[in-house]
């Protein structure tokens, strides 16, 4: 299923502070898959900064169990605050490295 992820806030085109530091502007994005649209809020992490800069993304989504996976054209390692268990509705980045 074709998926696109679009930036919806143009206030934070580039982070005002160094990556991973606290910022006051919420970074909101919209994920569209067919007729389904979801609003997302990116966290204040280095990986989220990379994703924000890469938007808009266009990809093919695949399901795997209860998850939806799609490619993202960034390369990042594991964040110090990465979690193994996540909640329903969380958007996660999976690194192959």
């Amino acid at each position: 299923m074709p998926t696109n992820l679009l930036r919806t806030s143009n206030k934070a085109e580039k982070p005002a502070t160094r990556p991973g530091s606290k910022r006051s502007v919420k970074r909101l994005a919209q994920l569209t898959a067919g007729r389904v649209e979801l609003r997302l809020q990116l966290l204040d992490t280095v990986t989220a900064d990379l994703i924000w800069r890469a938007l808009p993304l266009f990809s093919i989504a695949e399901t795997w169990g209860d998850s939806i996976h799609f490619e993202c054209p960034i390369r990042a390692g594991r964040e110090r605050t990465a979690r193994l268990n996540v909640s329903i509705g969380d958007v996660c980045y999976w690194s192959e490295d």
Side-chain angles (χ1 to χ4, degrees):
M1 170 182 303
T3 303
N4 61 55
L5 186 63
L6 303 173
R7 189 177 357 218
T8 59
S9 171
N10 58 8
K11 292 182 181 179
E13 189 66 32
K14 292 186 178 178
T17 56
R18 67 179 175 77
S21 64
K22 298 296 179 195
R23 68 176 51 84
S24 61
V25 177
K26 287 185 181 179
R27 294 180 296 174
L28 303 174
Q30 177 175 311
L31 177 86
T32 304
R35 294 181 291 178
V36 176
E37 292 183 0
L38 303 171
R39 292 191 180 248
L40 312 173
Q41 180 176 343
L42 287 115
L43 297 177
D44 188 20
T45 66
V46 174
T47 304
D49 291 343
L50 294 171
I51 293 170
W52 181 256
R53 289 183 187 136
L55 296 178
L57 303 175
F58 298 90
S59 186
I60 302 296
E62 300 176 5
T63 58
W64 186 45
D66 292 335
S67 302
I68 300 170
H69 294 245
F70 57 91
E71 287 189 35
C72 180
I74 67 163
R75 295 187 61 85
R78 186 186 312 175
E79 294 276 346
R80 285 183 152 193
T81 58
R83 296 174 293 169
L84 183 58
N85 297 313
V86 296
S87 300
I88 293 174
D90 284 350
V91 177
C92 306
Y93 174 77
W94 180 289
S95 174
E96 293 292 329
D97 296 335

